[in-house]
Amino acid sequence: DETLVHCSPTLFQNAQTLFQIKSPNEGVVTPIFIAMRPFLREFLTEAARHYELVLFTASEVSSRPPPIN
């Protein structure tokens, strides 16, 4: 539902970052563009000071962004 992060293989307005994924079957590298909700990083940083955070996705493993550190 893209509540916190929107990912797309095509460049879109407000795309903030980029990572690449490699298809497990074809070995093709695909760029993925990401837009995060405003203040998401700041919110997660502050929340992590008080709680153990667990993030999940319904996306397939090959199309999800790398884990957040």
Side-chain angles (χ1 to χ4, degrees):
D1 62 18
E2 302 171 351
T3 302
L4 298 176
V5 178
H6 173 70
C7 300
S8 174
T10 56
L11 182 60
F12 59 91
Q13 185 176 2
N14 300 327
Q16 300 162 334
T17 191
L18 165 73
F19 71 96
Q20 297 184 354
I21 59 169
K22 184 176 182 180
S23 169
N25 298 332
E26 298 92 29
V28 175
V29 175
T30 304
I32 301 295
F33 300 90
I34 301 172
M36 294 180 281
R37 290 263 184 204
F39 303 104
L40 175 61
R41 285 191 186 272
E42 294 84 351
F43 169 77
L44 292 176
T45 299
E46 183 62 26
R49 292 180 59 225
H50 305 282
Y51 305 97
E52 176 183 3
L53 302 182
V54 178
L55 304 176
F56 66 95
T57 181
S59 297
E60 293 187 29
V61 172
S62 63
S63 65
R64 69 171 164 76
I68 297 174
N69 293 325

Coordinates of all heavy atoms in Angstrom, one line a residue:
D1 N 0.8 -1.2 0.0 CA 0.0 0.0 0.0 C 0.9 1.3 0.0 O 0.3 2.4 0.0 CB -1.0 0.0 1.2 CG -0.3 0.0 2.5 OD1 0.9 0.3 2.6 OD2 -1.0 -0.4 3.5
E2 N 2.2 1.1 0.1 CA 3.1 2.2 -0.1 C 2.8 3.3 1.0 O 2.9 4.5 0.7 CB 3.0 2.8 -1.5 CG 3.4 1.8 -2.5 CD 3.1 2.3 -3.9 OE1 2.6 3.3 -4.1 OE2 3.5 1.5 -4.8
T3 N 2.6 2.9 2.2 CA 2.3 3.9 3.3 C 3.5 4.7 3.6 O 3.4 5.9 3.8 CB 1.8 3.1 4.5 OG1 0.6 2.4 4.2 CG2 1.4 4.1 5.6
L4 N 4.7 4.1 3.7 CA 5.9 4.8 4.1 C 6.8 5.1 3.0 O 7.5 6.1 3.0 CB 6.6 4.0 5.2 CG 5.8 3.8 6.5 CD1 6.6 3.0 7.5 CD2 5.5 5.2 7.2
V5 N 6.9 4.1 2.0 CA 7.9 4.2 1.0 C 7.2 3.8 -0.3 O 6.5 2.8 -0.4 CB 9.0 3.3 1.2 CG1 10.0 3.3 0.1 CG2 9.7 3.6 2.6
H6 N 7.5 4.6 -1.4 CA 7.0 4.2 -2.7 C 8.2 3.9 -3.6 O 9.2 4.6 -3.6 CB 6.3 5.4 -3.4 CG 5.9 5.2 -4.8 ND1 4.9 4.3 -5.2 CD2 6.4 5.7 -5.9 CE1 4.9 4.2 -6.5 NE2 5.7 5.1 -7.0
C7 N 8.2 2.7 -4.2 CA 9.3 2.2 -5.1 C 8.7 2.0 -6.5 O 7.6 1.6 -6.7 CB 9.8 0.9 -4.6 SG 10.4 0.9 -2.9
S8 N 9.6 2.3 -7.5 CA 9.2 2.1 -8.9 C 10.5 1.9 -9.7 O 11.5 2.5 -9.4 CB 8.5 3.3 -9.4 OG 8.2 3.2 -10.8
P9 N 10.4 1.1 -10.7 CA 11.6 0.9 -11.6 C 11.7 2.0 -12.6 O 12.7 2.1 -13.3 CB 11.3 -0.4 -12.3 CG 9.8 -0.5 -12.3 CD 9.3 0.1 -11.0
T10 N 10.8 3.0 -12.6 CA 10.9 4.1 -13.5 C 11.0 5.4 -12.7 O 10.4 5.5 -11.6 CB 9.6 4.2 -14.5 OG1 8.5 4.3 -13.7 CG2 9.5 3.1 -15.4
L11 N 11.8 6.3 -13.2 CA 12.0 7.6 -12.5 C 10.6 8.3 -12.4 O 9.9 8.4 -13.3 CB 13.0 8.4 -13.2 CG 13.4 9.8 -12.6 CD1 13.9 9.6 -11.2 CD2 14.3 10.5 -13.5
F12 N 10.4 8.9 -11.2 CA 9.1 9.6 -11.0 C 9.4 10.9 -10.2 O 10.5 11.0 -9.6 CB 8.1 8.8 -10.3 CG 8.5 8.3 -9.0 CD1 8.2 9.0 -7.8 CD2 9.2 7.0 -8.9 CE1 8.6 8.5 -6.6 CE2 9.6 6.6 -7.7 CZ 9.3 7.3 -6.5
Q13 N 8.5 11.8 -10.3 CA 8.7 13.1 -9.5 C 8.8 12.8 -8.0 O 8.1 11.9 -7.5 CB 7.5 14.0 -9.8 CG 7.6 15.4 -9.2 CD 6.5 16.3 -9.5 OE1 5.5 15.9 -10.2 NE2 6.5 17.5 -9.0
N14 N 9.7 13.5 -7.4 CA 10.0 13.3 -6.0 C 10.8 12.1 -5.6 O 10.9 11.8 -4.4 CB 8.7 13.4 -5.1 CG 8.0 14.7 -5.3 OD1 8.6 15.8 -5.5 ND2 6.7 14.7 -5.2
A15 N 11.3 11.4 -6.6 CA 12.2 10.2 -6.2 C 13.4 10.7 -5.5 O 14.0 11.7 -5.9 CB 12.6 9.5 -7.5
Q16 N 13.7 10.1 -4.4 CA 14.8 10.6 -3.5 C 16.0 9.8 -3.5 O 17.1 10.3 -3.3 CB 14.3 10.7 -2.1 CG 13.1 11.5 -1.9 CD 12.3 11.3 -0.6 OE1 12.4 10.2 -0.1 NE2 11.6 12.3 -0.1
T17 N 15.9 8.5 -3.8 CA 17.1 7.7 -3.8 C 17.0 6.6 -4.8 O 15.9 6.4 -5.4 CB 17.3 7.1 -2.3 OG1 18.6 6.5 -2.2 CG2 16.2 6.1 -2.0
L18 N 18.1 5.9 -5.0 CA 18.1 4.8 -6.0 C 18.9 3.6 -5.5 O 19.9 3.8 -4.9 CB 18.7 5.4 -7.3 CG 19.2 4.4 -8.4 CD1 18.0 3.8 -9.1 CD2 20.1 5.1 -9.3
F19 N 18.4 2.4 -5.8 CA 19.2 1.3 -5.6 C 19.0 0.3 -6.7 O 18.1 0.6 -7.6 CB 19.0 0.6 -4.2 CG 17.6 -0.1 -4.1 CD1 17.5 -1.5 -4.3 CD2 16.5 0.6 -3.8 CE1 16.3 -2.1 -4.2 CE2 15.2 0.0 -3.7 CZ 15.2 -1.4 -3.9
Q20 N 19.8 -0.7 -6.9 CA 19.6 -1.6 -8.0 C 19.4 -3.0 -7.5 O 20.0 -3.4 -6.5 CB 20.9 -1.6 -8.9 CG 21.1 -0.2 -9.5 CD 22.3 -0.2 -10.5 OE1 23.0 -1.1 -10.6 NE2 22.4 0.9 -11.1
I21 N 18.6 -3.7 -8.2 CA 18.3 -5.1 -7.9 C 18.7 -6.0 -9.1 O 18.6 -5.6 -10.2 CB 16.8 -5.4 -7.5 CG1 15.9 -5.0 -8.6 CG2 16.5 -4.7 -6.2 CD1 14.5 -5.5 -8.4
K22 N 19.1 -7.2 -8.8 CA 19.4 -8.2 -9.8 C 18.4 -9.3 -9.8 O 18.1 -9.9 -8.8 CB 20.8 -8.7 -9.5 CG 21.3 -9.7 -10.6 CD 22.7 -10.1 -10.4 CE 23.2 -11.0 -11.5 NZ 24.6 -11.5 -11.2
S23 N 17.8 -9.5 -10.9 CA 16.7 -10.5 -11.1 C 17.4 -11.9 -10.8 O 18.4 -12.2 -11.4 CB 16.1 -10.4 -12.5 OG 15.3 -11.6 -12.7
P24 N 16.8 -12.7 -9.9 CA 17.4 -14.0 -9.7 C 17.3 -14.9 -10.9 O 18.2 -15.8 -11.0 CB 16.5 -14.5 -8.5 CG 15.3 -13.7 -8.5 CD 15.6 -12.4 -9.2
N25 N 16.3 -14.8 -11.7 CA 16.2 -15.7 -12.9 C 17.0 -15.2 -14.1 O 17.8 -16.0 -14.7 CB 14.7 -15.8 -13.3 CG 13.9 -16.4 -12.2 OD1 14.4 -17.2 -11.4 ND2 12.7 -16.1 -12.1
E26 N 16.9 -14.0 -14.5 CA 17.5 -13.5 -15.7 C 18.9 -12.8 -15.4 O 19.7 -12.6 -16.3 CB 16.7 -12.5 -16.4 CG 15.3 -13.0 -16.9 CD 14.2 -12.9 -15.9 OE1 14.3 -11.9 -15.1 OE2 13.3 -13.7 -15.9
G27 N 19.2 -12.5 -14.2 CA 20.4 -11.8 -13.9 C 20.5 -10.3 -14.4 O 21.5 -9.7 -14.4
V28 N 19.3 -9.8 -14.7 CA 19.2 -8.4 -15.2 C 19.2 -7.5 -14.0 O 18.5 -7.7 -13.0 CB 17.9 -8.2 -16.0 CG1 17.8 -6.8 -16.5 CG2 17.9 -9.2 -17.2
V29 N 20.0 -6.4 -14.1 CA 20.1 -5.4 -13.0 C 19.1 -4.3 -13.4 O 19.1 -3.7 -14.5 CB 21.5 -4.8 -12.9 CG1 21.5 -3.7 -11.9 CG2 22.5 -5.9 -12.5
T30 N 18.2 -4.0 -12.5 CA 17.1 -3.0 -12.7 C 17.3 -1.9 -11.6 O 17.4 -2.2 -10.4 CB 15.7 -3.6 -12.5 OG1 15.6 -4.7 -13.4 CG2 14.6 -2.6 -12.7
P31 N 17.3 -0.6 -12.1 CA 17.3 0.5 -11.1 C 15.9 0.6 -10.4 O 14.9 0.4 -11.1 CB 17.6 1.7 -11.9 CG 17.1 1.4 -13.3 CD 17.3 -0.1 -13.4
I32 N 15.9 0.9 -9.1 CA 14.6 1.1 -8.4 C 14.7 2.5 -7.7 O 15.7 2.8 -7.0 CB 14.4 0.0 -7.3 CG1 14.4 -1.3 -7.9 CG2 13.1 0.3 -6.5 CD1 13.2 -1.6 -8.9
F33 N 13.7 3.3 -8.0 CA 13.7 4.7 -7.4 C 12.7 4.7 -6.2 O 11.7 4.0 -6.3 CB 13.2 5.7 -8.5 CG 14.1 5.7 -9.7 CD1 13.9 4.9 -10.8 CD2 15.2 6.6 -9.7 CE1 14.8 4.9 -11.9 CE2 16.1 6.6 -10.8 CZ 15.9 5.8 -11.9
I34 N 13.1 5.4 -5.2 CA 12.3 5.4 -4.0 C 12.0 6.8 -3.5 O 12.8 7.8 -3.7 CB 13.2 4.8 -2.8 CG1 13.6 3.4 -3.2 CG2 12.4 4.8 -1.5 CD1 14.6 2.8 -2.2
A35 N 10.8 7.0 -3.0 CA 10.4 8.2 -2.3 C 9.8 7.8 -1.0 O 9.0 6.9 -0.8 CB 9.3 9.0 -3.1
M36 N 10.3 8.5 0.1 CA 9.9 8.2 1.4 C 9.0 9.4 1.9 O 9.1 10.5 1.4 CB 11.1 8.1 2.4 CG 12.0 6.9 2.1 SD 13.4 6.8 3.2 CE 14.4 8.0 2.4
R37 N 8.1 9.0 2.8 CA 7.2 10.1 3.4 C 8.1 11.1 4.0 O 9.2 10.8 4.6 CB 6.4 9.4 4.5 CG 5.3 8.5 4.0 CD 4.0 9.3 3.9 NE 3.0 8.4 3.4 CZ 1.9 8.8 2.8 NH1 1.7 10.1 2.6 NH2 1.0 7.9 2.4
P38 N 7.7 12.4 4.0 CA 8.4 13.4 4.7 C 8.7 13.1 6.2 O 7.8 12.6 6.8 CB 7.5 14.7 4.6 CG 6.7 14.4 3.4 CD 6.5 12.9 3.4
F39 N 9.9 13.3 6.6 CA 10.3 13.1 8.0 C 10.3 11.7 8.4 O 10.4 11.4 9.6 CB 9.5 14.0 9.0 CG 9.5 15.4 8.6 CD1 8.4 16.0 8.0 CD2 10.6 16.2 8.9 CE1 8.5 17.4 7.7 CE2 10.7 17.5 8.6 CZ 9.6 18.1 8.0
L40 N 10.3 10.7 7.5 CA 10.3 9.3 7.9 C 11.6 8.9 8.6 O 11.5 8.3 9.6 CB 10.1 8.4 6.6 CG 10.2 6.9 6.9 CD1 9.1 6.4 7.9 CD2 10.2 6.1 5.6
R41 N 12.7 9.3 8.1 CA 14.0 9.0 8.7 C 14.1 9.6 10.1 O 14.5 8.9 11.1 CB 15.2 9.5 7.9 CG 15.4 8.6 6.7 CD 16.8 9.0 6.1 NE 17.0 8.3 4.8 CZ 17.5 7.1 4.7 NH1 17.9 6.4 5.8 NH2 17.6 6.5 3.5
E42 N 13.6 10.8 10.3 CA 13.7 11.4 11.6 C 12.7 10.7 12.6 O 13.1 10.5 13.7 CB 13.3 12.9 11.5 CG 14.3 13.8 10.7 CD 14.1 13.7 9.2 OE1 13.3 12.9 8.7 OE2 14.8 14.5 8.6
F43 N 11.6 10.3 12.1 CA 10.6 9.6 12.9 C 11.2 8.3 13.4 O 11.1 7.9 14.6 CB 9.3 9.4 12.2 CG 8.4 8.5 12.9 CD1 7.7 8.9 14.0 CD2 8.2 7.2 12.5 CE1 6.8 8.0 14.7 CE2 7.4 6.3 13.1 CZ 6.7 6.7 14.3
L44 N 11.7 7.5 12.4 CA 12.3 6.2 12.8 C 13.5 6.3 13.7 O 13.6 5.5 14.6 CB 12.7 5.4 11.5 CG 11.5 5.0 10.6 CD1 12.0 4.4 9.3 CD2 10.5 4.1 11.3
T45 N 14.3 7.3 13.5 CA 15.4 7.5 14.4 C 15.0 7.8 15.8 O 15.5 7.2 16.8 CB 16.3 8.7 13.9 OG1 16.8 8.4 12.6 CG2 17.5 9.0 14.8
E46 N 14.0 8.6 16.0 CA 13.5 9.0 17.3 C 12.8 7.8 17.9 O 12.9 7.4 19.1 CB 12.6 10.2 17.3 CG 12.1 10.6 18.6 CD 13.2 11.1 19.6 OE1 14.3 11.5 19.1 OE2 12.9 11.0 20.8
A47 N 11.9 7.1 17.1 CA 11.2 6.0 17.7 C 12.1 4.8 18.1 O 11.9 4.1 19.1 CB 10.2 5.4 16.6
A48 N 13.2 4.7 17.3 CA 14.2 3.6 17.7 C 14.9 3.8 19.0 O 15.4 2.9 19.6 CB 15.2 3.5 16.5
R49 N 14.9 5.1 19.5 CA 15.5 5.4 20.8 C 14.6 4.8 21.9 O 15.1 4.6 23.0 CB 15.7 6.9 20.9 CG 16.7 7.5 20.0 CD 16.9 9.0 20.2 NE 17.2 9.3 21.5 CZ 16.7 10.3 22.2 NH1 15.8 11.1 21.7 NH2 17.1 10.6 23.5
H50 N 13.3 4.6 21.6 CA 12.4 4.2 22.7 C 11.8 2.8 22.5 O 11.3 2.3 23.4 CB 11.2 5.2 22.7 CG 11.7 6.6 22.9 ND1 12.1 7.2 24.1 CD2 11.8 7.6 22.0 CE1 12.4 8.4 23.9 NE2 12.3 8.7 22.7
Y51 N 11.9 2.3 21.2 CA 11.2 1.0 21.0 C 12.1 0.2 20.0 O 12.9 0.7 19.3 CB 9.9 1.2 20.2 CG 8.9 2.2 21.0 CD1 8.8 3.5 20.6 CD2 8.1 1.7 22.0 CE1 8.0 4.4 21.3 CE2 7.3 2.5 22.7 CZ 7.2 3.9 22.4 OH 6.3 4.7 23.0
E52 N 11.8 -1.1 20.0 CA 12.4 -2.0 19.0 C 11.5 -1.9 17.8 O 10.3 -2.2 17.9 CB 12.5 -3.4 19.5 CG 13.0 -4.4 18.5 CD 13.0 -5.8 19.0 OE1 12.5 -6.1 20.1 OE2 13.4 -6.7 18.2
L53 N 12.1 -1.5 16.7 CA 11.3 -1.3 15.5 C 11.4 -2.6 14.6 O 12.4 -3.1 14.4 CB 11.7 -0.1 14.7 CG 11.7 1.2 15.4 CD1 12.2 2.3 14.5 CD2 10.3 1.5 16.0
V54 N 10.2 -2.9 14.0 CA 10.2 -4.0 13.1 C 9.5 -3.5 11.8 O 8.3 -3.1 11.9 CB 9.5 -5.3 13.7 CG1 9.4 -6.4 12.6 CG2 10.1 -5.7 14.9
L55 N 10.1 -3.5 10.7 CA 9.5 -3.1 9.5 C 9.3 -4.3 8.6 O 10.1 -5.2 8.5 CB 10.5 -2.1 8.8 CG 10.9 -0.8 9.6 CD1 11.9 0.0 8.8 CD2 9.6 0.0 10.0
F56 N 8.2 -4.3 7.8 CA 8.0 -5.4 6.9 C 7.4 -4.8 5.6 O 7.0 -3.7 5.5 CB 7.0 -6.4 7.5 CG 5.6 -5.8 7.8 CD1 4.6 -6.0 6.8 CD2 5.3 -5.1 8.9 CE1 3.3 -5.5 7.0 CE2 4.0 -4.6 9.1 CZ 3.1 -4.8 8.2
T57 N 7.4 -5.7 4.6 CA 6.9 -5.3 3.3 C 6.1 -6.5 2.7 O 6.4 -7.7 3.0 CB 8.0 -4.9 2.3 OG1 7.4 -4.6 1.1 CG2 9.0 -6.0 2.1
A58 N 5.1 -6.2 1.9 CA 4.4 -7.2 1.2 C 5.0 -7.4 -0.2 O 4.6 -8.3 -1.0 CB 2.9 -6.8 1.0
S59 N 6.0 -6.6 -0.5 CA 6.7 -6.8 -1.8 C 7.5 -8.0 -1.9 O 7.9 -8.6 -0.9 CB 7.7 -5.6 -2.0 OG 7.0 -4.4 -2.1
E60 N 7.7 -8.5 -3.1 CA 8.6 -9.6 -3.3 C 10.0 -9.3 -3.0 O 10.4 -8.1 -3.1 CB 8.5 -10.1 -4.8 CG 7.2 -10.6 -5.2 CD 7.2 -11.2 -6.6 OE1 8.2 -11.7 -7.0 OE2 6.1 -11.2 -7.2
V61 N 10.8 -10.2 -2.5 CA 12.1 -10.0 -2.1 C 13.0 -9.3 -3.1 O 13.7 -8.4 -2.8 CB 12.8 -11.3 -1.6 CG1 14.3 -11.1 -1.4 CG2 12.1 -11.9 -0.4
S62 N 12.8 -9.6 -4.4 CA 13.6 -9.1 -5.4 C 13.3 -7.6 -5.7 O 14.1 -6.9 -6.3 CB 13.4 -9.8 -6.7 OG 12.1 -9.8 -7.2
S63 N 12.2 -7.1 -5.2 CA 11.8 -5.7 -5.6 C 11.8 -4.8 -4.3 O 11.4 -3.6 -4.4 CB 10.5 -5.6 -6.2 OG 9.4 -6.1 -5.4
R64 N 12.2 -5.3 -3.2 CA 12.1 -4.5 -2.0 C 13.5 -3.8 -1.8 O 14.5 -4.2 -2.2 CB 11.8 -5.3 -0.7 CG 12.9 -6.3 -0.4 CD 12.6 -6.9 1.0 NE 13.3 -8.0 1.2 CZ 14.6 -8.0 1.6 NH1 15.3 -6.9 1.7 NH2 15.3 -9.2 1.8
P65 N 13.5 -2.6 -1.1 CA 14.7 -1.9 -0.9 C 15.6 -2.7 0.1 O 15.0 -3.5 0.9 CB 14.3 -0.6 -0.3 CG 12.8 -0.6 -0.1 CD 12.3 -1.9 -0.7
P66 N 16.9 -2.4 0.2 CA 17.7 -3.0 1.2 C 17.2 -2.6 2.6 O 16.5 -1.6 2.8 CB 19.1 -2.5 0.9 CG 19.0 -1.4 -0.2 CD 17.6 -1.4 -0.7
P67 N 17.6 -3.4 3.6 CA 17.2 -3.1 5.0 C 17.6 -1.7 5.4 O 18.7 -1.2 5.0 CB 17.8 -4.2 5.8 CG 18.2 -5.3 4.9 CD 18.4 -4.6 3.5
I68 N 16.9 -1.1 6.3 CA 17.2 0.2 6.9 C 18.1 -0.1 8.0 O 17.9 -0.9 8.9 CB 15.9 0.9 7.3 CG1 15.1 1.2 6.1 CG2 16.3 2.2 8.1 CD1 13.7 1.8 6.5
N69 N 19.2 0.7 8.1 CA 20.1 0.6 9.2 C 20.0 1.8 10.1 O 19.8 2.8 9.7 CB 21.6 0.5 8.8 CG 21.8 -0.8 8.0 OD1 21.3 -1.9 8.4 ND2 22.7 -0.8 7.0

